[in-house]
Amino acid sequence: MTTVVVLAKRPRAGFVKTRMVPPLTYEAAADVAAAALQDTLATVGSAAFEHCMLAFDGDPAGWLPAGWLLHRQSSGGLDERIVAAVQSAPDGAVLLIGMDTPQLSALALHDFDPLRFDACLGLATDGGYWVIGFANAWDAAASVLGVPMSESFTGAEQLRRLRALGLRVQLLDELTDVDTVEAARRVAVEAPHTGFARTLRAALPNAVA
């Protein structure tokens, strides 16, 4: 049994994708974040895992898909919130992703093999990571707590920690997080038919082919 957890927050102007302002307005940046989250939820929902969970910061009204479990994000740093979300999932393997990779495919999620590996990690091009997974959710605390988050070396440090604990780590494909306009443009070209790409094109009609 595998659970996929989407760690996300309600897209509100001035609170999400602020690194895209300017050239985007705060309202347009929130629209882009909302489209990325919608694409992510749709992809996860189509992947046919045993359980899907939304670990949400904010009012989940309008965002919790039918049949999904809800975990309200705890307070604390990102490392603490990741661990709390992973450990709140039903028994079995757990994959946790964010809301910043709208180009994600269902097949990429199914690459994790918890029968052969203790953990998985998908590095991001900005030095972070877009997915972390565990065959046993109770490995999450020792693996994640204390890892510096949102740094250019976060992914490398997370991988070092997993291996230092003696876990068998499966590396998944590298993806680009859409935290900046430049990264968003690349992802929109890579995945032109996503709602994210359409929203970005509407906000920057002369910047995205």
Side-chain angles (χ1 to χ4, degrees):
M1 300 254 303
T2 298
T3 300
V4 180
V5 179
V6 178
L7 189 78
K9 61 182 175 181
R10 191 173 185 88
R12 294 191 295 148
F15 292 88
V16 291
K17 303 298 176 207
T18 55
R19 292 170 63 191
M20 294 185 178
V21 180
L24 297 185
T25 65
Y26 287 112
E27 291 75 14
D31 289 342
V32 167
L37 178 54
Q38 288 168 343
D39 286 333
T40 301
L41 296 176
T43 297
V44 172
S46 73
F49 283 95
E50 287 81 2
H51 300 288
C52 298
M53 175 182 287
L54 178 62
F56 208 61
D57 178 3
D59 182 359
W63 287 104
L64 184 66
W68 283 48
L69 304 171
L70 174 64
H71 167 76
R72 295 183 182 275
Q73 283 190 41
S74 60
S75 59
L78 179 56
D79 58 335
E80 296 170 292
R81 289 181 281 125
I82 287 173
V83 171
V86 168
Q87 292 186 343
S88 71
D91 290 344
V94 184
L95 284 166
L96 181 139
I97 65 173
M99 56 185 284
D100 295 331
T101 50
Q103 75 277 38
L104 175 68
S105 72
L107 287 176
L109 292 173
H110 279 288
D111 281 345
F112 179 38
D113 184 353
L115 297 180
R116 295 179 53 220
F117 295 93
D118 304 308
C120 71
L121 190 68
L123 299 175
T125 55
D126 64 359
Y129 59 89
W130 64 270
V131 62
I132 190 167
F134 298 95
N136 183 339
W138 295 107
D139 284 328
S143 300
V144 177
L145 291 178
V147 172
M149 296 289 158
S150 303
E151 302 286 353
S152 61
F153 55 85
T154 294
E157 176 59 23
Q158 183 63 81
L159 180 59
R160 187 203 65 78
R161 174 78 72 84
L162 292 167
R163 287 175 169 165
L165 291 170
L167 300 179
R168 298 167 297 170
V169 182
Q170 180 182 10
L171 286 175
L172 303 186
D173 289 343
E174 184 179 69
L175 293 181
T176 297
D177 281 343
V178 292
D179 286 329
T180 66
V181 168
E182 291 72 19
R185 287 170 175 154
R186 293 196 299 271
V187 170
V189 171
E190 178 184 341
H193 302 301
T194 57
F196 167 81
R198 290 191 296 271
T199 302
L200 187 66
R201 285 195 294 267
L204 296 173
N206 298 320
V208 182

